[in-house]
Every structure is written in structure tokens, then in C-alpha cells.
Amino acid sequence: MKKYSFYLVTLLGSVLFLSGCGDQNGNASSNGALASNNAEKVYVAPGEHDEFYAFMSGGYSGNVTVYGLPSGRMFKEIPVFSQFPTNGYGYSEETKPMLETSFGFIPNDDSHHPDISQTNGELDGRWLFINGNNTPRIARIDLKTFETAEIIEVPNSAGNHSSSYITENSEYVVAGTRFSVPIPQRDMPIKDYKGNFKGALSFISVAPETGHMDIKFQLIMPGFNYDLSHPGRGKSHGWFFFTTYNTEEANSLLEVNASQNDKDFIAAVNWKKIEEYVENGGGTMVPANYTHNLYSDETHSATSTMKKEVLTVDPTKVPGAVFFMPTPKSPHGVDVNPTGDYIIGNGKLSADLTVFSFDKMIAAIDGKKYDGEAYGLPILKFEDVLAGQVKSGGLGPLHTEFDGKGNAYTTFFISSEVVKWKVGTWEVIDRKPTFYSVGHCMIPGGNSAKPFGKYLISLNKITKDRYLPTGPELEHSAQLYDITGDKMELIYDFPTHGEPHYAAAIPASILAPKSQKIYKLAENEHPFATKSVSDARVVRDGNVVHVYMAMIRSHFTPDNIEGIKVGDKVYFHITNHEQDFDVPHGFMMIGATNSGLLIMPGQTKTTVWEPKQEGVWPFYCTDFCSALHQEMQGYVRVSPASSNIDLSWSLGE
Ligand SMILES: [Cu+2]
């Protein structure tokens, strides 16, 4: 039995203690000369570039932010699951379909775990995947354009938390449900949860050339909470590991009722076996509503398609596919080392880490030595699969990353520290405080066979006194550690936007050369593109008016429009004719109730304006594009609804 109240008291006590008495500089031994040495380590001189791109999830911002390492400079916010007035994402006609779901249009979400696509277990820098936690979705960001290219909704899922992690050849991006729910959803008493609710683990295939996603199958598991996951790699490629909590299947006051069992499980899923099963016709197609939203760089537009069914698999029908490994103290993170030999379970109410051996797991499965079953799925004996325990001396382990040199780094939320330990001997080598209450840590390439073990970032939940106060709301804090030596060294703090729940990073040398600079105007296939200024025009269809507009430094074509009437619905389809890197133009129309636009060179975007009052109303470019940017403006004359003034448009007349 868990001594719940004891842990709660210890937990609160530890947080207060650390918050009140922490070493404010993080490293008393590196003051003076050593501190200035640290400054050099993070200093990227003006005009020089960072060594790594880091992609931070934005948590409740729904987005992803891009930072440079080691400088901590923010380069871009990429809108993913949230409307973004800065550039019109989710407001423009072209991008609104990206946020369609089976629940309708949803303007935001909670983005958690980014992961970068892989080839042969190494980061290939083609795509970044990230989960929408609240309304379950997985997004794919194209790392050529740093734009969201695709979003697929995940049905039968809720609190899409154990997502989005990628297999070593990007065969699948995997999404596991945190909340078990009735499958299919139906009206039933909540108290009948136990035995009736189910947890779906979704394997979403990624097309090798295009990256296009499709739900290959959903594994319908017992009604536990599936918290985090990681793929096997190397020798364990073909397996996927998921932590569970609430194996008690409590439906209320989980902080007590889901902490009753001394051990929950890590579920080991042989996805290759299930893939084979479904390819031979196994599984059951069931009705489900979920959207698949795809953006095209050719039409500069997204489409949203409602899918109607999904293939489900009952794991008890596929012998040898799913096993449970008992793991102490409500495990949170599950991580696999770069060679794929070890699976690390972090019991978040524990002091010790539990390390399982993949070889021992296979031997136990082959020997059919089980410790009972749960809902028909075999439970392996803890002692049979255990490789070792890291006696850390910390409290509240959450997540582990690896440096590729045989060391592991585990974050401890309650004792607020990062602990470095040796894979294989399980001995603790070093520990450093974090400020404060660290969640995930991240090493570039940390979820791959080839980490780049130079820096570690801790992503801290509490900022408090690290920066100048900004009222009650503080941005979360990231801390950068140099991990090249035996001992970790805290070298930098920087704030991050939203809740940077997790992050993924990659050497700039892989991404930067592939980064797209413009969209070619000649290849623009947007149906409302104005590819030549001679095509600029205004077309009326009842009370709907389409403005085909072009923009180039420093004017719009046309810039005078007459014949618009009160009650019209005016679509501005605007094409940026620039073909130079870093020359977007913006567009804002007075009184428009949606958003402005930021239009990249060669791109077409559309916004809608519904004039309510007669008059002469201006629009202008919002991006300071040239010395004559202030001259980049125009007027629309709006006449009464009963007016018979003809439509006309002009430039320079
Ligand atoms: Cu401009």
C-alpha cells in the first residue's frame, strides 16, 4: 500500500524548502572567473549562428516556439493548434480548415511533446510532430517551411498525453490516451468506469515520401491512464512502451484512489506483430468521426476531411503482442536508451528508478513466466525483467534523456534536480539543482539512437525569482547545462513561451541548408491567385465580392476600389509578388473582425471583410517592407445597399 499522506507531506515540504532556500546562482563554485567562462559558452556573437535549433512545445499556447542553442534566442513561434493573429493562421480562409475537428472549429489546444522524424534511428530533420492534448490530435510541421502541414484527429482518445513519439524509421507516430473513456462514446454512469472504460493506443502511419498521416490501427487496452510512451530502438525496434497509472481504475479523487497499488504497469507493445495481424485482415473497423486536415504548399490552402471509421484491435486476440511490466509508484516517464537495451520507468512518487532489460523481457516472454494477468493480458514478473535500480537519493523522478556516451540524466520534480547516472552500473555520478520543479529535460537527439550530448535543457515549472517580476504571470524557465564534462554545469537561464512542456532539438547543420526561402510564384496553384498584375480584378456574385489583389514593394494592385455596398461580403485574395527572401507583406482592413494577414513571397492568402457602414475605408501593409512602406495603402468606397454605383478598381489613375 502506498503511504499517500506521507508522500504528500514530504512533497509539499520539499517544494517549500527548495523554493525558500535554493542556491540562487545554481552553482556556488562557478562564481568569478568560472562564471565569465560560462558566459562565453552561451555567447553567440552578433551575426553568428547557433549550433542547435530547439523546438519547445507551447503547452496551453497550443503552439511550438523555436529557439537557438546555446544562446536561448527565440527565432519563431509556429502556430499549430491555436489561432495566431500575428500571421492570420486559423483566421485566413486558407488555414481555417486546419483547426476543424469532429467537435467543430477549435481555436486552441494544449501542445505537449514534440518529436523529430528519424531515419535509421537518427534525426533526419524532415518533420516535427506534436500532440494536441485536450482535443486529441497529432500535427506534422514541415521543417523546410517551419509551418504546420497536417493535423489528424485521434478518435476514442482523451487527454492525448502519451504522444507524439516516433519509431526509428518514422514508420509510426504514436498517440496514447491519458483518460480512458467509453469506446464507442455513449451515455453511461461515470461510476461504472471500472471494467467498462477503455484506453486507446493509436499507431499513426507516416508516408515515407510525403509524411502524410493515417491511423493504421488503435489498440483498445484496459481502462488505465496511459501517461507517456517511447519507442524501442536497435534491438528493441518493433516494440513500443507505455506507462500506466490508475490501474485501480478509479473515477474520482485520483490523487488518493489511483495511488493504492504499489505498482502500476509499463505496457510493452509489439507493434510489428499487430501490424502483421492487421495486414492479414485482423482487427475490427468501427464507426468514428475524426478530421484529417492537410495543407498544400502548391495551393497555399488547407482541406479538412471527415473520416468515418477506424480499425481497432483487441490485444487479447493477438497472442504475444502486449505484456505488462510491474513498475513501482505511479510511473510517469518511460524512456529507452540509445542502444535499445534498457527501458527506464520513473515512478513519480518514488526515490528510485526502475530499469528493465529488453533481453530479460524477451526471455521472460519466451519462458511464459507470468505473474497473473490483467484483462487477459500477461503480467511479467518484476524480478524477471528488472535490470537494476538507480538509488538516486532524489525524489519524484519524471523523465530521462541520454547523452550517447553511456550516461543518463533524470529529472526529479519534488527534489528539483537533474541526476546524472551511468547506464549499466546504475551509479549516480552527479546531481545539480534546477530552479525550480523541473518537468522534462531535453538533450538534442535525446529520443534517438544518436544523441548530441553537449547540452541539456531543464524545463522548469516554477520561475519565481529567476527574472524580474512581471506581475502574477511569469513565463516558464528553461535552464541550459553544459554536459560535456564529468560534472554538469548550469550555464544559462532563459524564459520560454507558454508552458514548454517538452522539447526536441537538432543540429542547425541538418536543418538550415534545407530551409525554404520563398514560395515560387510560378508554382502558385491557389485558385484565387493573382499571378500577373493584369489579372487583378474585382468580381461580384450577388452580395459576395472577390478582390483579386497583388502586392509588391510598395503598392497594392488595385489600391482604389469602388462599388462595394453595405451588407457585402468581401473576400480579399492577396498574392505577394515578391521573390526575395524575407520580404513578406501584411494586410489589415479597418473594421475587419477576423485578423490581419502576413503573406510570404509567392503566397496567396484570403481574409473576409463585411462592411457595416458607408464611407471610404482604408487598408494598408502591416510589415515594414521598404522606405516607402507607409505609402503602401489603399481605399475601398462603401455605398448604401441600394446604391447602383458600378464596381470599379484602379491603380495610379
Ligand atoms: Cu509592404
Side-chain angles (χ1 to χ4, degrees):
M1 294 291 282
K2 288 176 183 176
K3 290 181 179 142
Y4 173 73
S5 54
F6 164 76
Y7 279 113
L8 186 64
V9 169
T10 313
L11 185 157
L12 292 174
S14 303
V15 169
L16 290 172
F17 173 78
L18 284 159
S19 306
C21 310
D23 167 358
Q24 300 300 295
N25 296 316
N27 196 334
S29 66
S30 68
N31 289 335
L34 275 175
S36 68
N37 188 28
N38 285 347
E40 280 172 25
K41 286 181 184 169
V42 298
Y43 182 66
V44 179
E48 309 239 303
H49 292 167
D50 279 279
E51 188 177 349
F52 293 95
Y53 286 97
F55 298 90
M56 310 275 196
S57 67
Y60 35 69
S61 82
N63 293 338
V64 167
T65 43
V66 187
Y67 287 77
L69 297 182
S71 74
R73 298 182 294 192
M74 187 179 127
F75 300 145
K76 187 178 183 183
E77 180 167 6
I78 303 172
V80 184
F81 297 111
S82 292
Q83 284 182 298
F84 196 58
T86 303
N87 67 8
Y89 177 86
Y91 293 97
S92 71
E93 295 304 300
E94 290 80 3
T95 54
K96 279 197 288 194
M98 293 301 281
L99 301 182
E100 287 294 341
T101 74
S102 64
F103 301 90
F105 180 89
I106 294 188
N108 69 335
D109 209 304
D110 182 19
S111 58
H112 269 224
H113 307 118
D115 206 4
I116 295 168
S117 56
Q118 297 181 15
T119 301
N120 298 323
E122 297 183 16
L123 302 185
D124 63 23
R126 295 196 292 168
W127 308 300
L128 180 81
F129 296 86
I130 188 159
N131 56 326
N133 212 10
N134 179 44
T135 302
R137 285 170 285 175
I138 300 288
R140 179 175 58 86
I141 292 161
D142 188 332
L143 292 179
K144 275 208 316 284
T145 59
F146 285 58
E147 299 285 351
T148 304
E150 187 176 7
I151 296 179
I152 193 164
E153 193 178 350
V154 185
N156 297 324
S157 194
N160 175 34
H161 195 262
S162 39
S163 325
S164 48
Y165 295 104
I166 289 155
T167 57
E168 72 175 20
N169 283 301
S170 306
E171 295 96 335
Y172 293 99
V173 53
V174 174
T177 195
R178 171 176 156 206
F179 297 95
S180 280
V181 290
I183 296 178
Q185 271 290 6
R186 58 191 179 276
D187 175 18
M188 63 174 282
I190 300 169
K191 69 173 175 52
D192 296 342
Y193 175 139
K194 194 166 188 167
N196 291 313
F197 285 25
K198 299 286 176 204
L201 307 179
S202 304
F203 285 72
I204 299 165
S205 60
V206 178
E209 293 301 316
T210 60
H212 290 182
M213 298 185 284
D214 192 16
I215 300 179
K216 179 91 170 179
F217 60 87
Q218 288 193 312
L219 196 58
I220 306 301
M221 296 281 285
F224 310 148
N225 293 40
Y226 296 86
D227 203 10
L228 277 157
S229 66
H230 263 100
R233 59 177 61 94
K235 63 162 61 168
S236 54
H237 178 61
W239 289 79
F240 222 97
F241 303 95
F242 298 82
T243 44
T244 68
Y245 66 100
N246 192 24
T247 51
E248 298 86 348
E249 297 180 75
N251 59 280
S252 183
L253 195 62
L254 264 64
E255 66 171 326
V256 176
N257 295 327
S259 302
Q260 300 301 310
N261 294 341
D262 189 55
K263 294 188 177 72
D264 295 289
F265 300 126
I266 286 175
V269 174
N270 185 335
W271 58 260
K272 281 229 162 136
K273 194 162 263 216
I274 300 168
E275 181 183 67
E276 194 184 310
Y277 172 75
V278 302
E279 277 171 4
N280 288 320
T284 308
M285 203 59 98
V286 301
N289 284 322
Y290 60 103
T291 52
H292 182 212
N293 307 333
L294 197 55
Y295 185 83
S296 157
D297 282 343
E298 286 71 46
T299 61
H300 300 286
S301 303
T303 52
S304 179
T305 309
M306 189 70 77
K307 298 247 189 164
K308 290 298 194 186
E309 54 182 15
V310 69
L311 185 65
T312 58
V313 172
D314 174 351
T316 63
K317 300 264 170 65
V318 196
V322 179
F323 299 89
F324 289 125
M325 298 195 283
T327 308
K329 306 289 178 197
S330 299
H332 185 57
V334 54
D335 299 283
V336 177
N337 76 321
T339 62
D341 287 287
Y342 298 111
I343 301 114
I344 291 97
N346 297 327
K348 59 184 183 272
L349 298 178
S350 159
D352 303 333
L353 307 183
T354 304
V355 185
F356 296 118
S357 154
F358 179 72
D359 288 340
K360 285 185 167 188
M361 184 190 93
I362 294 299
I365 292 169
D366 289 345
K368 293 192 169 21
K369 287 165 68 182
Y370 304 141
D371 198 4
E373 58 172 51
Y375 292 101
L377 298 169
I379 301 171
L380 301 174
K381 284 188 178 142
F382 179 69
E383 295 74 18
D384 287 350
V385 290
L386 188 69
Q389 281 175 307
V390 180
K391 302 282 182 190
S392 69
L395 194 61
L398 292 186
H399 303 283
T400 302
E401 296 254 320
F402 307 89
D403 63 5
K405 300 168 202 158
N407 303 304
Y409 302 74
T410 301
T411 54
F412 286 73
F413 178 79
I414 299 172
S415 54
S416 222
E417 60 186 335
V418 180
V419 172
K420 176 181 179 181
W421 52 276
K422 190 133 205 80
V423 176
T425 68
W426 326 124
E427 67 187 308
V428 171
I429 299 166
D430 188 24
R431 61 196 323 131
K432 284 289 182 303
T434 63
F435 303 91
Y436 307 94
S437 301
V438 59
H440 280 268
C441 61
M442 184 276 288
I443 291 171
N447 175 36
S448 78
K450 190 185 162 193
F452 301 88
K454 185 167 182 183
Y455 301 111
L456 176 142
I457 288 184
S458 69
L459 299 160
N460 305 322
K461 304 297 186 188
I462 295 175
T463 304
K464 284 200 179 189
D465 47 21
R466 298 306 286 181
Y467 313 120
L468 290 174
T470 52
E473 184 184 0
L474 304 169
E475 292 284 28
H476 286 211
S477 177
Q479 292 186 300
L480 187 71
Y481 295 80
D482 176 346
I483 57 167
T484 54
D486 286 344
K487 302 288 180 189
M488 296 176 277
E489 195 155 13
L490 175 59
I491 54 175
Y492 199 48
D493 280 16
F494 61 97
T496 52
H497 188 51
E499 191 216 359
H501 197 88
Y502 185 44
I506 183 168
S509 58
I510 299 175
L511 280 198
K514 297 195 286 194
S515 190
Q516 191 162 324
K517 295 185 168 60
I518 61 162
Y519 298 102
K520 287 188 181 141
L521 186 60
E523 293 170 6
N524 181 331
E525 291 174 24
H526 192 295
F528 290 93
T530 304
K531 292 171 78 165
S532 153
V533 287
S534 59
D535 292 335
R537 62 199 186 276
V538 182
V539 178
R540 175 179 287 284
D541 178 12
N543 71 336
V544 172
V545 177
H546 292 282
V547 178
Y548 292 77
M549 185 180 269
M551 62 198 334
I552 197 163
R553 282 164 288 184
S554 291
H555 59 271
F556 296 93
T557 309
D559 68 357
N560 279 206
I561 298 170
E562 301 201 357
I564 304 297
K565 300 176 202 174
V566 170
D568 281 348
K569 193 168 189 178
V570 182
Y571 289 86
F572 291 94
H573 309 285
I574 310 171
T575 302
N576 182 347
H577 280 204
E578 305 286 352
Q579 292 287 270
D580 282 344
F581 187 30
D582 198 22
V583 192
H585 291 290
F587 178 81
M588 282 195 190
M589 177 78 224
I590 188 171
T593 54
N594 46 12
S595 167
L597 299 172
L598 194 62
I599 307 165
M600 297 304 124
Q603 194 177 44
T604 303
K605 280 190 179 175
T606 301
T607 191
V608 185
W609 178 56
E610 296 181 70
K612 301 283 193 305
Q613 301 170 50
E614 51 202 74
V616 178
W617 304 105
F619 56 86
Y620 67 98
C621 173
T622 50
D623 192 294
F624 209 114
C625 51
S626 75
L628 295 172
H629 162 72
Q630 285 300 80
E631 281 71 11
M632 192 164 174
Q633 63 175 55
Y635 286 110
V636 180
R637 174 182 172 185
V638 177
S639 303
S642 58
S643 159
N644 53 12
I645 291 177
D646 286 337
L647 265 189
S648 65
W649 59 94
S650 62
L651 169 74
E653 288 170 17

